[in-house]
Amino acid sequence: MIYYCTKFVPTTIFLFLLSLTIYQILNTRDRVLIHYLFAGAIAGLTILCDPVAMVIYPALFFWFLINKKINFFRMVFIIISSLVVLIPWTIRNYNIHKRIIPVTTQFAVNLWIGNNPNATGTDYYKIKSFEKEDYVLMTQTLPSNIKDSLSKVSEIESMNFYLNESLKFIKKEPSKFISLLFKKFYYYFWFAPSSEYSSKDLEHFRILFYILYLPLLITGIAGVLFSIKDRKDVLLILLCIFFISFIYIFTHVGLIRYRLPLELYLLIFSAYFVKSLRK
């Protein structure tokens, strides 16, 4: 958490907005309409910051189905106000691409990165030469003629290429697709080995990451088990984390920062577990 605050990436802003969204949704019970609208507006901003936050919609839906005490109109107001924030950007995308693109076309690329003949379960591919071993982005493994042609087509055509190639791979190699899912699941909740991805920062702090993360993972899972049996509001958090994790595992597992939404709430559940033991 501290490390990524030193990096110029949207991760810390996304974590703040995501946690604020979940907090506001949970805090709108028995509040006036403006609180619902504010919760939805923050949700919309979170999605604009990182489209993976669109998991808020299915999470809200299943939370409503499971927790019958949730007011239906409360949920609708939150969704509508979030869409109001999103619509201007969607209109902008339609004017440019002549197709409805809610936020970005990046999903197709991410899907291909994690589902192609060279896929490793990460964003990277290890290349070997006579001089050294190095890692390149998965998109660099495409033949030079395809890379050249993709640089000359529209964003929509590029999106269609990656989407079609991903689906073609999944249909042609279902066993490898399943194998990659298990691999990405492991890499997401633990760490990718050096044979798949490495960096100076990762190798320098790998042991420290293990030492800090393992107790957090164990106590966080225990905290989930302790809290879920009598707190239905916890379900909204768990559903959001489940869908975020699922998207990254289904598409690609890149950097450790993709797991930070999970770690943020593992910290909270871990604290709840420790508090429960003290009681």
Side-chain angles (χ1 to χ4, degrees), residues 68-265:
K68 298 298 183 181
K69 293 182 180 179
I70 303 301
N71 185 288
F72 175 76
F73 293 102
R74 167 191 176 195
M75 183 181 69
V76 170
F77 274 121
I78 292 172
I79 293 174
I80 290 176
S81 56
S82 69
L83 292 176
V84 168
V85 174
L86 286 176
I87 284 173
W89 186 256
T90 305
I91 293 174
R92 172 263 181 197
N93 286 342
Y94 185 80
N95 288 335
I96 293 175
H97 304 302
K98 306 306 177 186
R99 186 180 295 188
I100 296 177
I101 306 292
V103 182
T104 177
T105 61
Q106 189 64 30
F107 175 80
V109 181
N110 292 339
L111 182 63
W112 179 85
I113 288 173
N115 300 282
N116 72 81
N118 293 320
T120 62
T122 73
D123 281 356
Y124 297 89
Y125 182 79
K126 190 174 186 178
I127 57 172
K128 297 180 180 180
S129 65
F130 290 109
E131 297 148 359
K132 62 175 182 176
E133 294 183 346
D134 201 2
Y135 299 87
V136 296
L137 287 170
M138 189 60 63
T139 50
Q140 295 301 310
T141 64
L142 287 168
S144 56
N145 61 318
I146 295 180
K147 285 191 289 185
D148 184 57
S149 63
L150 285 175
S151 67
K152 299 174 182 178
V153 301
S154 69
E155 190 174 333
I156 295 297
E157 290 172 313
S158 177
M159 179 190 76
N160 289 336
F161 167 81
Y162 284 114
L163 184 60
N164 291 333
E165 289 297 309
S166 304
L167 297 178
K168 190 186 301 181
F169 168 79
I170 293 171
K171 291 177 182 177
K172 186 178 179 180
E173 302 279 356
S175 58
K176 189 171 182 180
F177 166 69
I178 297 298
S179 175
L180 281 168
L181 280 181
F182 281 106
K183 183 182 286 189
K184 288 181 283 188
F185 178 89
Y186 175 73
Y187 292 173
Y188 186 78
F189 288 98
W190 190 240
F191 299 89
S194 300
S195 58
E196 299 292 2
Y197 169 65
S198 182
S199 67
K200 290 182 180 179
D201 289 336
L202 179 59
E203 293 310 313
H204 191 66
F205 295 108
R206 187 179 284 271
I207 298 301
L208 181 62
F209 285 153
Y210 291 169
I211 294 172
L212 293 176
Y213 178 64
L214 183 58
L216 173 65
L217 181 62
I218 295 171
T219 56
I221 293 173
V224 169
L225 298 176
F226 269 58
S227 62
I228 197 172
K229 57 186 178 182
D230 52 18
R231 289 177 179 268
K232 287 190 175 181
D233 283 351
V234 170
L235 286 172
L236 179 63
I237 298 173
L238 295 179
L239 286 167
C240 285
I241 297 305
F242 169 80
F243 285 122
I244 288 175
S245 303
F246 174 80
I247 288 174
Y248 281 124
I249 292 168
F250 184 70
T251 56
H252 68 128
V253 178
L255 305 172
I256 296 177
R257 64 184 173 90
Y258 296 167
R259 193 175 65 206
L260 285 183
L262 169 71
E263 293 189 11
L264 175 66
Y265 285 98

